[in-house]
Amino acid sequence: MRKKWKVEEQSRFMKRLGTLLQKGYTLGEALEFLRLQFSGKVKDAIGEAIRALEEGDSFYRVIRGFRFDPLCAVFAYYGETHGQLPESLITAGEMLERKYGQQAKFRHLLAYPVLLFAMTVGVFFILQTRILPQFVLLYENFRVKPNRLILFYLWLNGHYPQIFLAVCLLFSVLLPLFFKWGKNVSPFERQRWLAKLPGIGPFLMLWKTYYFSFHLSQLLKNGFSLHESLMVIRSDPEKKYLRETIDRVHRVLFSGKSLPDGVREIPFWLPELAAVIEHGQLAGRLDMELESFSLHCLERFYERVERLLKFVQPLMFSLIALWIVLLYVSILSPTFEMINRL
């Protein structure tokens, strides 16, 4: 199958396929119809998908074969399991579109600051290699002592190889240690560790809570018992950490406690999730309340992303501006001192 689909093709394919299934097409008929709308390698890939389905492969495996974004594979897996494949595919397409739209916006916001930073690095290099040595000679002639910032720049200029070697040595030591730690630690423990990180933690907790609560709500809505729903989530082929996560919840349930008590044992789910489950069970509409809460988590996640995007560009501009000001001050302050001595 095709090595990689463009993001726009993935999103369009998922939404069109979901819409056709909603209109009553079978999966094979919908794919055959979509095959007429695409061309080239995409058309060939859809043809291979049809043959794979005829041979008994699941649609989830077909999507994996397309090497789509993992988000698409996840929604295909759950959609096939709980019977709401059309809605799941449309949701996946919309989320993929939104996800990569934000990534494109982030790249656009960073484009100018990165260009400005690269130009500043170029100016810094010229300053280090061409201008500073001339100023040092001038300072010596006028017996003016360079300030600490210029001395620091001069030290950098004379120690580039040593600094580069030290950084390479540091990474050569830390990276193997990090990968060895990753192999020795379970997926659950990795998620627990990530949830504690100051910058990443809140984003991860919102997404993990959304992921669990949304898919649990869809399984319950389609007639699965709570135990069956948890077992389906435990078998999620894309999220290995969920196996140990659900096992921990089960241990709490087998000890005679409630599901909210088990949910509270998971450190990378929001604390509010336990309260939502408790209220939903009491009200007799757990599936509806979980679905509503999951969408609330998703909106909060995207709001945080938007705030981050608005914060990053001004921060980069401020740091670059500060760097430029320091460069000017380091050059001009001794110059003014020399002028005063004339």
Side-chain angles (χ1 to χ4, degrees):
M1 290 189 182
R2 192 182 182 207
K3 286 186 177 180
K4 191 70 176 177
W5 290 46
K6 294 179 181 178
V7 175
E8 297 82 3
E9 291 172 346
Q10 293 181 37
S11 175
R12 189 165 66 247
F13 174 82
M14 296 294 281
K15 289 193 290 185
R16 285 185 184 178
L17 182 57
T19 302
L20 289 172
L21 292 175
Q22 281 184 330
K23 291 180 179 179
Y25 285 71
T26 65
L27 188 56
E29 291 170 343
L31 287 171
E32 192 64 54
F33 182 63
L34 284 177
R35 189 166 174 264
L36 301 175
Q37 302 177 31
F38 288 92
S39 60
K41 294 181 179 179
V42 176
K43 184 174 183 177
D44 295 339
I46 294 175
E48 290 182 38
I50 294 170
R51 288 192 291 273
L53 289 171
E54 289 173 349
E55 292 171 2
D57 275 358
S58 66
F59 183 65
Y60 160 73
R61 291 190 178 278
V62 169
I63 290 294
R64 285 291 302 273
F66 282 160
R67 293 186 63 191
F68 272 19
D69 187 282
L71 192 67
C72 298
V74 163
F75 276 85
Y77 167 74
Y78 283 104
E80 277 191 308
T81 302
H82 58 57
Q84 295 294 322
L85 186 59
E87 292 78 4
S88 295
L89 296 182
I90 292 172
T91 301
E94 291 172 347
M95 290 183 67
L96 189 64
E97 195 173 38
R98 189 171 183 179
K99 171 185 174 182
Y100 282 92
Q102 288 187 326
Q103 289 185 358
K105 184 178 179 181
F106 187 70
R107 287 193 297 269
H108 177 73
L109 286 172
L110 289 185
Y112 182 65
V114 168
L115 176 63
L116 185 60
F117 178 75
M119 293 174 63
T120 309
V121 169
V123 172
F124 180 72
F125 178 75
I126 294 171
L127 178 73
Q128 287 278 88
T129 57
R130 302 292 181 185
I131 300 175
L132 273 181
Q134 300 299 323
F135 269 93
V136 170
L137 290 175
L138 192 61
Y139 296 154
E140 289 175 353
N141 290 335
F142 280 87
R143 295 182 180 179
V144 176
K145 184 179 179 181
N147 58 40
R148 291 181 180 179
L149 193 56
I150 288 186
L151 291 173
F152 175 68
Y153 290 154
L154 290 171
W155 181 85
L156 284 179
N157 194 36
H159 294 81
Y160 277 132
Q162 296 91 326
I163 294 171
F164 179 75
L165 185 63
V167 170
C168 290
L169 185 62
L170 182 65
F171 272 97
S172 66
V173 172
L174 291 180
L175 284 177
L177 288 175
F178 178 77
F179 285 115
K180 185 178 180 181
W181 172 82
K183 289 181 179 178
N184 293 333
V185 173
S186 69
F188 179 89
E189 291 300 327
R190 282 200 296 271
Q191 298 301 321
R192 183 206 294 270
W193 180 78
L194 288 171
K196 293 178 180 179
L197 295 178
I200 301 173
F203 287 92
L204 184 138
M205 291 181 72
L206 279 168
W207 182 258
K208 298 297 181 190
T209 305
Y210 159 75
Y211 189 94
F212 172 74
S213 56
F214 178 78
H215 292 301
L216 179 59
S217 72
Q218 299 307 298
L219 290 164
L220 292 172
K221 186 186 289 187
N222 286 281
F224 284 73
S225 69
L226 184 58
H227 175 71
E228 290 170 337
S229 301
L230 291 175
M231 292 307 294
V232 169
I233 293 173
R234 182 182 182 276
S235 302
D236 188 329
E238 297 293 323
K239 308 294 180 185
K240 303 300 182 185
Y241 71 89
L242 282 173
R243 180 176 296 274
E244 185 177 349
T245 302
I246 301 304
D247 286 344
R248 286 171 178 259
V249 173
H250 275 151
R251 282 198 292 271
V252 174
L253 293 175
F254 293 151
S255 69
K257 296 181 180 178
S258 64
L259 178 60
D261 292 327
V263 168
R264 290 188 186 97
E265 296 293 317
I266 310 304
F268 45 80
W269 288 343
L270 294 175
E272 301 98 289
L273 177 60
V276 169
I277 291 175
E278 194 167 17
H279 186 271
Q281 286 179 321
L282 290 173
R285 46 175 182 265
L286 180 58
D287 56 344
M288 295 172 59
E289 296 200 3
L290 278 173
E291 183 177 33
S292 177
F293 179 66
S294 69
L295 297 177
H296 169 68
C297 291
L298 187 63
E299 285 305 313
R300 284 174 60 189
F301 175 82
Y302 284 127
E303 285 171 7
R304 279 182 171 269
V305 172
E306 289 292 332
R307 287 201 298 269
L308 178 64
L309 292 177
K310 292 176 182 177
F311 173 75
V312 165
Q313 192 180 52
L315 177 64
M316 287 197 68
F317 278 132
S318 300
L319 292 175
I320 292 169
L322 179 62
W323 188 11
I324 293 172
V325 168
L326 287 174
L327 286 175
Y328 276 108
V329 169
S330 65
I331 294 296
L332 292 178
S333 60
T335 305
F336 286 133
E337 188 173 345
M338 287 187 291
I339 292 173
N340 290 332
R341 291 191 177 194
L342 294 177

